[in-house]
Amino acid sequence: MENSPTTSPGLRIGEVAERTGLSVHALRFYEREGILDQPVRRDSGGRRVYAEHDVEWLHVCIILRASGMPVPTIRRYTELVRHGAGNEAERLTLMREHRERVTQQIAQLTHSLDLINHKVGVYEDILAEQTDGAPQACVINAG
């Protein structure tokens, strides 16, 4: 790939890995799985050359993946974006469905955190009583 005055030289795979926190292996996997919204360019030696847009897109994909979106769903979303305007209703449906799953996960995690906070309080109280010289309490209720 030759540089023209309007074309930046691009980023090597190691630079993209460093900027995104993904491994080189993960970047290759994302490319094979069709998760990049534009084909990765290659230089004259066949090495991958990424653009800033690719890094920005990968950040979106990383956030979607971290939120629990399955790779096939990210691939479908990517395909929709790749096809351009005209499929916004399908993109919206996909995002609404995922939002519902994330909302459910948050509710489950909040419930779990409530239990954990309760247990932390119980054990802090027991330890505080022990250091005050009070008799040891016996915790009977499920640990």
Side-chain angles (χ1 to χ4, degrees):
M1 181 179 98
E2 292 189 18
N3 293 335
S4 69
T6 59
T7 305
S8 69
L11 302 163
R12 301 278 180 224
I13 196 167
E15 294 170 308
V16 174
E18 186 176 312
R19 288 182 55 187
T20 61
L22 293 171
S23 67
V24 169
H25 175 75
L27 288 168
R28 290 181 182 133
F29 171 78
Y30 273 31
E31 182 181 357
R32 276 193 315 274
E33 290 296 312
I35 291 177
L36 293 168
D37 69 330
Q38 296 177 4
V40 176
R41 298 173 301 163
R42 303 282 179 148
D43 66 12
S44 59
R47 292 178 295 270
R48 290 169 178 82
V49 179
Y50 295 85
E52 282 298 323
H53 170 80
D54 297 319
V55 174
E56 293 165 9
W57 180 256
L58 284 164
H59 281 297
V60 169
C61 293
I62 290 165
I63 291 168
L64 292 175
R65 189 69 191 109
S67 70
M69 185 179 276
V71 169
T73 306
I74 296 172
R75 181 184 315 112
R76 179 65 186 140
Y77 179 65
T78 302
E79 290 167 357
L80 293 169
V81 170
R82 201 178 294 134
H83 284 96
N87 58 31
E88 289 81 2
E90 192 173 349
R91 292 187 217 182
L92 177 60
T93 298
L94 190 146
M95 286 297 164
R96 281 181 173 162
E97 289 170 355
H98 186 63
R99 178 178 65 185
E100 181 58 31
R101 284 189 299 274
V102 170
T103 300
Q104 290 172 2
Q105 289 172 347
I106 290 169
Q108 291 170 345
L109 286 171
T110 299
H111 180 71
S112 298
L113 183 59
D114 290 345
L115 173 75
I116 293 165
N117 284 334
H118 172 73
K119 291 297 184 182
V120 166
V122 167
Y123 294 121
E124 287 174 343
D125 290 347
I126 290 171
L127 291 174
E129 288 176 13
Q130 288 175 357
T131 58
D132 291 342
Q136 256 187 337
C138 178
V139 179
I140 299 174
N141 62 353

